[in-house]
Amino acid sequence: MIGIIACLITLRVRCETGNNNRKEAMSSGTTTLRYAAGLITVLGCLPALAQEAAQDATEQTRQEAIQNVRGKPVGQAPEPQDERPQIQAAAEYGGVLTPKGRLILEPEFQYSHESINRMTFEGVSVLSTLLIGVFTAQDVDRDNYTASLTGRLGFTDRLELEMKVPYVYRDENERVNVPIEDSQDDVFSLDRELSGDSLGDIELAAHYQLNRGQNGMPFFIGNLRYKTTTGRGPFDIDRDSSGNPLELSTGTGFHSIEPSITMLLPSAPAVYFANLGYVFHLEDSVDQSLTDVEGDNIEVGDVDPGDAVRLSFGMAYAINPRTSFTLGYKNDFIGKTKTEYVNTINGSTTQVESQTLNVGSLLLGWNYSLSQDVNINLGLELGITEDAPDTTLTLRMPIGMNVF
């Protein structure tokens, strides 16, 4: 998202620089119209956003400006054309839409790292300085590598269609230490290393421009995203007889639908953006048999993943006509996952709920324009909350082309 939004500002500066030699009286209308036209040809990921100030000028002001330049009266000026700005949605959060007939192919590589160092205690606190129970030390390192290809097509000037196909590789190293009394080593250690790779969850999306963004109003874009279950979910991977995983999943295993709305407010040389969405994770029946610690057969019944509220906002700013940077913040509030377990021997049912998650990250981004059709976007996410990955690095190269 960071690199994509950043190119909004780069074009803004480029367009305004090209109009400096125009006559001052005509700059209010002509500069902005040329700026809007330049946005239509923008680089594949995020064309810059046009403010159509020419439509805000009155008929009298238009005639006076022309008369001052030419030194003679003019006739009735034509009515201004009601042109719709070309808006394109960004890959994840929404943004400026791809113009009609233009296709953007965006190869992407993403790396994320998460490290967990946790000390837990199970027992009784007799005094503030006296604890009776068991201490457990857990050290986990997780690395995720994702290579994906995203295609975005401007179906009309207001509607854009999107498809994303990822391939995921994950690895995890976990070490658990449990002190044991009267033991030769005094500590029981468990080392486990898991990995997994396969096709991830394919995503389909549609983005629609809701308004024209005239008279200084922000642009609003409606987004609808659907995530499939083409990846290997947590209940699709191989497990041992006790239910412990032998590999890592590459997908969520559950369908999800995410409606959201994006706001873009141009304010040269910056563009402010914000996105608010809600993710519906659809409940599913797993029907998978496991064995508990007592040797009883347990069947996993219905699983209802927690829904999520997604929020992001920030600002993109131009450094020069080719380079821009972005600063923002995003936060996902994920609800509890409810899992139903059925004892196949006595028929009893137990429902277990997970904890809620708060995933917040600081967004930093950089964009460089190689040409009118090719951009390089580099984004960095720094985890702020405890549930967020420590770092996420994303490299994108949007490539634009006209197909009709």
Side-chain angles (χ1 to χ4, degrees), residues 70-186:
R70 297 182 178 178
K72 58 181 180 180
V74 297
Q76 182 73 18
E79 292 293 329
Q81 297 294 322
D82 186 16
E83 297 181 358
R84 294 177 298 178
Q86 308 295 329
I87 304 281
Q88 171 201 339
E92 189 173 357
Y93 303 106
V96 185
L97 295 183
T98 304
K100 178 180 178 180
R102 188 163 179 83
L103 174 66
I104 296 176
L105 295 179
E106 183 180 274
E108 172 186 323
F109 176 78
Q110 184 178 85
Y111 166 74
S112 67
H113 174 76
E114 181 179 6
S115 180
I116 300 175
N117 296 287
R118 184 176 299 160
M119 177 76 73
T120 59
F121 170 76
E122 295 182 3
V124 179
S125 175
V126 179
L127 298 172
S128 59
T129 58
L130 178 59
L131 302 176
I132 301 177
V134 177
F135 283 95
T136 301
Q138 183 184 30
D139 185 10
V140 181
D141 290 315
R142 298 190 180 104
D143 294 292
N144 296 337
Y145 305 85
T146 304
S148 62
L149 179 63
T150 301
R152 294 193 295 274
L153 175 65
F155 193 72
T156 69
D157 287 339
R158 284 178 173 259
L159 177 64
E160 177 188 84
L161 303 179
E162 175 188 336
M163 182 177 181
K164 181 176 182 179
V165 180
Y167 190 89
V168 180
Y169 172 80
R170 299 178 57 199
D171 68 71
E172 176 180 297
N173 295 305
E174 180 178 8
R175 181 181 179 86
V176 179
N177 296 323
V178 181
I180 299 178
E181 189 177 359
D182 299 331
S183 174
Q184 182 177 0
D185 297 330
D186 293 331

Side-chain angles (χ1 to χ4, degrees), residues 17 35 37 75 102 104 113 146 151 210 216 242-243 250 264 310 329 333 352 390:
T17 304
Y35 169 45
R102 188 163 179 83
I104 296 176
H113 174 76
T146 304
L210 301 177
S242 299
T250 58
L264 295 170
R310 310 190 69 181
Y329 178 77
F333 303 93
V352 178
D390 297 336

Side-chain angles (χ1 to χ4, degrees), residues 21-342:
N21 296 328
R22 298 291 180 184
K23 295 183 178 180
E24 180 178 359
M26 293 293 292
S27 63
S28 173
T30 308
T31 300
T32 309
L33 289 176
R34 291 182 176 276
Y35 169 45
L39 303 175
I40 301 178
T41 61
V42 83
L43 320 163
C45 64
L46 203 57
L49 182 61
Q51 289 180 285
E52 300 186 356
Q55 297 181 356
D56 299 334
T58 61
E59 195 67 35
Q60 181 178 358
T61 304
R62 190 183 295 269
Q63 291 181 0
E64 290 177 355
I66 298 176
Q67 185 172 355
N68 290 336
V69 175
R70 297 182 178 178
K72 58 181 180 180
V74 297
Q76 182 73 18
E79 292 293 329
Q81 297 294 322
D82 186 16
E83 297 181 358
R84 294 177 298 178
Q86 308 295 329
I87 304 281
Q88 171 201 339
E92 189 173 357
Y93 303 106
V96 185
L97 295 183
T98 304
K100 178 180 178 180
R102 188 163 179 83
L103 174 66
I104 296 176
L105 295 179
E106 183 180 274
E108 172 186 323
F109 176 78
Q110 184 178 85
Y111 166 74
S112 67
H113 174 76
E114 181 179 6
S115 180
I116 300 175
N117 296 287
R118 184 176 299 160
M119 177 76 73
T120 59
F121 170 76
E122 295 182 3
V124 179
S125 175
V126 179
L127 298 172
S128 59
T129 58
L130 178 59
L131 302 176
I132 301 177
V134 177
F135 283 95
T136 301
Q138 183 184 30
D139 185 10
V140 181
D141 290 315
R142 298 190 180 104
D143 294 292
N144 296 337
Y145 305 85
T146 304
S148 62
L149 179 63
T150 301
R152 294 193 295 274
L153 175 65
F155 193 72
T156 69
D157 287 339
R158 284 178 173 259
L159 177 64
E160 177 188 84
L161 303 179
E162 175 188 336
M163 182 177 181
K164 181 176 182 179
V165 180
Y167 190 89
V168 180
Y169 172 80
R170 299 178 57 199
D171 68 71
E172 176 180 297
N173 295 305
E174 180 178 8
R175 181 181 179 86
V176 179
N177 296 323
V178 181
I180 299 178
E181 189 177 359
D182 299 331
S183 174
Q184 182 177 0
D185 297 330
D186 293 331
V187 175
F188 170 76
S189 297
L190 174 64
D191 293 322
R192 185 180 66 171
E193 183 174 351
L194 299 176
S195 63
D197 66 284
S198 71
L199 180 68
D201 292 335
I202 295 177
E203 300 180 18
L204 304 174
H207 313 276
Y208 186 77
Q209 177 194 342
L210 301 177
N211 70 328
R212 300 180 184 277
Q214 298 177 353
N215 301 322
M217 291 292 294
F219 293 93
F220 291 95
I221 298 167
N223 314 291
L224 183 63
R225 184 174 296 273
Y226 167 67
K227 185 178 65 58
T228 66
T229 58
T230 53
R232 292 173 59 85
F235 297 101
D236 299 326
I237 59 177
D238 296 331
R239 297 176 179 270
D240 60 20
S241 58
S242 299
N244 297 316
L246 300 176
E247 58 181 340
L248 296 178
S249 62
T250 58
T252 61
F254 298 89
H255 299 272
S256 69
I257 300 175
E258 179 188 358
S260 66
I261 187 168
T262 299
M263 183 198 73
L264 295 170
L265 180 61
S267 179
V271 172
Y272 299 95
F273 63 90
N275 177 270
L276 179 63
Y278 190 90
V279 183
F280 296 92
H281 288 110
L282 305 184
E283 182 179 355
D284 193 12
S285 181
V286 176
D287 296 331
Q288 185 175 100
S289 297
L290 303 175
T291 303
D292 63 9
V293 293
E294 298 179 357
D296 296 334
N297 291 327
I298 301 296
E299 183 176 286
V300 182
D302 295 337
V303 178
D304 184 10
D307 294 341
V309 177
R310 310 190 69 181
L311 171 68
S312 64
F313 58 88
M315 177 196 70
Y317 193 87
I319 301 176
N320 57 50
R322 283 185 175 268
T323 309
S324 60
F325 74 90
T326 306
L327 176 66
Y329 178 77
K330 76 170 186 177
N331 212 127
D332 293 352
F333 303 93
I334 305 174
K336 299 179 179 180
T337 296
K338 301 177 182 179
T339 306
E340 180 184 71
Y341 295 96
V342 180

